[in-house]
Amino acid sequence: MAFSLRRSSSTADITTNTTIPSPMSTPGSLKQIIMWENAADPSTHLAQHLLVILSSVSERSGVTSTTATSPPNKLVRAIAPPSPQTPGEVLLPQQRGTLNNDKTPISSPGFRAEGYIPFPRLKYPSVSRQLDFSSITLQQQQQQQQDDVALPVADPVFLVQGSSFHDAYKNNGGVTTTHIRVDSRHDSVFPPGQISSGHADLVSCHHSSLVGLYDVVDGLRPGGVLLIACPWGDVNDMETTVPKLVKRNIARKQAKLCTINLPAVVAELGLMKVDSKVRFDSAPKAYQHVLLGATLFLTGLLDSFTSTVGSKLVRVEELDMLRRVKEHIIHVPYPSSWADLLLEEGDVHHLPSFVSCTLMPGGANREHVANGGNVTTVQSTTTAGVIDQHKGVRSLSWYHACWAMMFPEAMGTRRAAHPHIPNTHLLKITENRRLTPASYDRNVFHMEMKAEENATEEKGEGEVAIQSTSSLPSPDEGGSRDQSRRGKFHYDVGEALGVHGHNDVEECRRFLSWYGLAEGDLVALPIPGSSVSSNEEVQMRSVLQVFVQYMDIFGRPNKRFYEGLAAYATDATQHEKLVLLAGKEGVEEFKKRVDETATYADVLHEFPSAHPTLSQLLDLVPVILPRHYSIASSIKAHPNSVHLLIVTNDWKTPSGRYRIGQCTRYLQDLKPNTTIVASIKPSVMVLPSSHEAPVVMAGLGTGMAPFRAFIEERAHMRRQGHKVGPMALYFGSRSRHSEYLYGEEIDEYHRDGLLTHVGLAFSRDQAEKIYIQHKITQDQVAMDDLLSKRGDGHFYLCGPTWPAGDVQDAIVQSFQQCGGMQASEANDYIKRMKKEGRYVLEVY
């Protein structure tokens, strides 16, 4: 079966077919329809009418409706006045309703009808409903309820299912999409909800503005029909109004593009003329009549409707007008080149495929969640096409996020900085001071942070909301418990502070703009380390938060990333290159990228045809790991505070490109009162259990950090009246003038006698290079005494790896020269010290 449509007169390079196969030409086959409607424009509201009309294609006519919140035996009205302000809801499978085979009002356990209301004088349900139809009479159903006896059910002409989704805040008044399934087979009942992507036979868009807000083509099957209610008559009218993305999707699906000009058709058919046989008292009703005729024709249901009960519901003249509507449907051929349109910067790269719902999920929804899903199953209103349900990642409506934050106990919400890392803390910056001169080529800076119970991240960039996906929290847990502040802030001397750095915000925004992601969209992510299928909580973040705080998009990719990315490359040349880089043949090419510090973002820019979705990117790109810095303070000397000594890690690549480390870039510009997220990591740098044990410390550059903590700890113990053992410090850097880190403090401790010996090595302050191993060699008697003769001496080295061997040789020589050991004995003694934890290296 084929039907002919009016063809656009455009002479562009267009497809040549003028007849379109009916999308539902086989009687009895499953028919799937998606309707997009602007809730603020009642003239195009058709979906709810169509559900009732389709249910009437039988002499056994009637309508039933069930709602997700209706108790099994409670009767509710199925027809109610329209309420655009009332958001819609996603419904779960409910008991199928019934049709009567006599002309009496019908009923079901969740429905009571008010009788027949002829089209187009139907009213709108105030909330979205699940409509199912069969053919059991009211009397049979009542008898069944009374006798609890299963009665035979007559075959229905059609089984109709419809689910509506409404976003009350979109497009100046709201957007509604209704997914309708029509089938005469009883064994092909589908669960209510959205029609799967690429399965709809007809997508009907009743307002042209929606074409630029949503990917209305996504739900359409290949070769399906897209009907747009608009005045467009050819492709030239669509040049600036339809995004390239939508045009490309239309062509790639080989969709049949049709338009219908509602005002023109109403005028031409005379639907509002006073002397007309068919006269509607308002334009909205006339427009709805035209859309009904177009929909029935394009779905192949027109003949069934007009030959059966259509004549019982509407006048004969109205049926004739429904038949005439098909003459005014315009088939718009489009250039085949649409399929190859390239999306450039500034073009819309992604549009949502579904409407987000704005009602809080009810009990039924929560039951569904408890069975293993995530609570954030509602599609995003802006990036649903990008954020798919891959490995536990869900798009999240901002309305849901608002509820989660406003009603934490009811929604099972808590706040945490990094839910997958225990013992994280929010620390407020109290000082960020550069120690080296501004003219010096190395930026070494000192930071002080304070843990406060009520600290909150400036601009909300530290914590994320954690949403329960199963049951409400128990009363003893509370809904707003905060993992990031569980336990008092504490650290031991020598431990490291793991700083959870952020990517640069503006750099992330530039990437998101190029990649086609909306930074304000919300997503729910599984907590790392939890099972995707059984995780009980998800973390809620904005897309910008994901890239700034979570995804290491500016980190260095390994070969596995190139291999994984190759699977998404649509360009053959780029796919081949990615495969090469991931294999043995691409070793040299891969090394060049390593030398240039190529990032994940760089590789995505280099291979633009490989465009994974956000959830797929999260599978390819690791999370940002904390950067650990040796703590440069004693908590006894600075209660509830922690100090760090940091050098900016920056460099130039072989091509001359400037690079900077992610975490030092983040930290160096932080202002006081900014809050960061940090965690404590144990370290091998542990002071002897005895305060009187000798300690020899050798620190290079920022390797001075743990030794400042050691010195402060023993200074505190001495102030408390404890006797402390000798402490020798060797410090090395380039210049005393520019890089004598904590020099004033070191000199004061030396004058005070806490530091019994200080050896300073500034390598560039004289013609010959002097390093700490040279200073240790000059103090062989002291080294042998502190580390060998006393028997309990401890040696610590912190800094770059390269001097470790020379330093050990200097200590071995002191044992030989002053302790009378043979070389083998001296080396064995060093080994025994290491085994006993008295010779400790922390090098990098």
Side-chain angles (χ1 to χ4, degrees), residues 20-81:
I20 307 174
S22 171
M24 304 181 186
S25 58
T26 305
S29 66
L30 176 66
K31 303 165 177 63
Q32 302 194 81
I33 309 166
I34 299 176
M35 289 189 171
W36 292 83
E37 299 174 324
N38 182 5
D41 183 4
S43 66
T44 61
H45 292 173
L46 175 66
Q48 298 292 348
H49 293 320
L50 182 64
L51 286 169
V52 177
I53 290 295
L54 291 179
S55 72
S56 304
V57 187
S58 169
E59 294 199 1
R60 301 185 298 270
S61 308
V63 186
T64 62
S65 171
T66 59
T67 67
T69 56
S70 301
N73 296 313
K74 181 179 179 181
L75 299 181
V76 299
R77 292 178 63 89
I79 308 300

Side-chain angles (χ1 to χ4, degrees), residues 405-708:
M405 301 308 297
M406 289 188 295
F407 311 109
E409 292 187 7
M411 299 296 289
T413 308
R414 63 184 177 88
R415 292 172 64 88
H418 284 273
H420 58 293
I421 301 177
N423 300 321
T424 53
H425 304 273
L426 294 179
L427 305 178
K428 182 178 288 186
I429 307 296
T430 56
E431 183 176 351
N432 189 350
R433 171 170 49 94
R434 178 166 179 152
L435 300 181
T436 54
S439 58
Y440 192 55
D441 63 352
R442 301 184 75 201
N443 177 21
V444 182
F445 54 101
H446 168 82
M447 296 190 74
E448 297 183 8
M449 289 149 279
K450 186 176 182 181
E452 294 186 355
E453 246 183 69
N454 298 318
T456 56
E457 177 88 8
E458 189 174 284
K459 299 181 181 178
E461 294 178 352
E463 294 183 315
V464 294
I466 309 303
Q467 174 71 59
S468 170
T469 63
S470 53
S471 58
L472 296 178
S474 60
D476 58 326
E477 291 177 322
S480 58
R481 66 188 191 274
D482 187 342
Q483 179 174 303
S484 66
R485 300 181 191 131
R486 189 181 298 166
K488 187 177 180 181
F489 177 70
H490 177 79
Y491 60 89
D492 293 322
V493 172
E495 290 188 321
L497 188 74
V499 176
H500 299 264
H502 295 174
N503 289 319
D504 182 74
V505 175
E506 293 307 316
E507 193 171 5
C508 287
R509 283 188 168 130
R510 287 193 294 271
F511 177 84
L512 292 176
S513 176
W514 170 79
Y515 205 71
L517 290 170
E519 65 177 64
D521 283 358
L522 300 178
V523 292
L525 311 177
I527 297 173
S530 64
S531 169
V532 173
S533 60
S534 62
N535 62 312
E536 296 181 352
E537 293 182 320
V538 291
Q539 51 182 320
M540 298 189 293
R541 297 176 182 263
S542 71
V543 170
L544 182 61
Q545 277 184 315
V546 170
F547 281 83
V548 172
Q549 305 173 5
Y550 189 75
M551 187 190 298
D552 195 16
I553 193 66
F554 301 112
R556 302 184 186 188
N558 54 25
K559 286 195 171 186
R560 287 193 302 274
F561 175 73
Y562 290 92
E563 181 182 6
L565 189 63
Y568 300 100
T570 57
D571 180 86
T573 303
Q574 294 181 19
H575 177 271
E576 184 179 350
K577 185 68 172 290
L578 286 166
V579 171
L580 176 71
L581 288 166
K584 296 180 179 179
E585 299 81 2
V587 170
E588 290 302 319
E589 191 71 24
F590 178 79
K591 185 177 183 302
K592 290 179 183 178
R593 284 172 168 75
V594 173
D595 294 340
E596 285 295 315
T597 325
T599 67
Y600 293 98
D602 290 334
V603 176
L604 289 167
H605 275 283
E606 185 180 356
F607 302 97
S609 77
H611 201 93
T613 64
L614 174 56
S615 54
Q616 289 164 346
L617 270 182
L618 286 165
D619 203 27
L620 292 172
V621 182
V623 300
I624 297 173
L625 297 176
R627 171 71 164 85
H628 292 96
Y629 298 95
S630 295
I631 294 175
S633 58
S634 165
I635 201 168
K636 294 177 182 176
H638 307 279
N640 213 36
S641 180
V642 61
H643 300 178
L644 297 181
L645 179 63
I646 303 169
V647 59
T648 297
N649 180 27
D650 58 353
W651 65 97
K652 284 191 175 181
T653 68
S655 66
R657 186 176 182 182
Y658 177 76
R659 294 291 200 182
I660 183 171
Q662 181 257 358
C663 201
T664 51
R665 177 180 183 174
Y666 165 65
L667 290 173
Q668 68 179 3
D669 296 323
L670 289 181
K671 306 300 181 185
N673 294 321
T674 305
T675 305
I676 68 169
V677 179
S679 53
I680 304 299
K681 180 185 177 182
S683 170
V684 294
M685 305 291 282
V686 180
L687 269 174
S689 56
S690 170
H691 302 315
E692 299 183 30
V695 171
V696 178
M697 304 165 287
L700 288 83
T702 54
M704 175 63 197
F707 304 135
R708 181 175 184 261

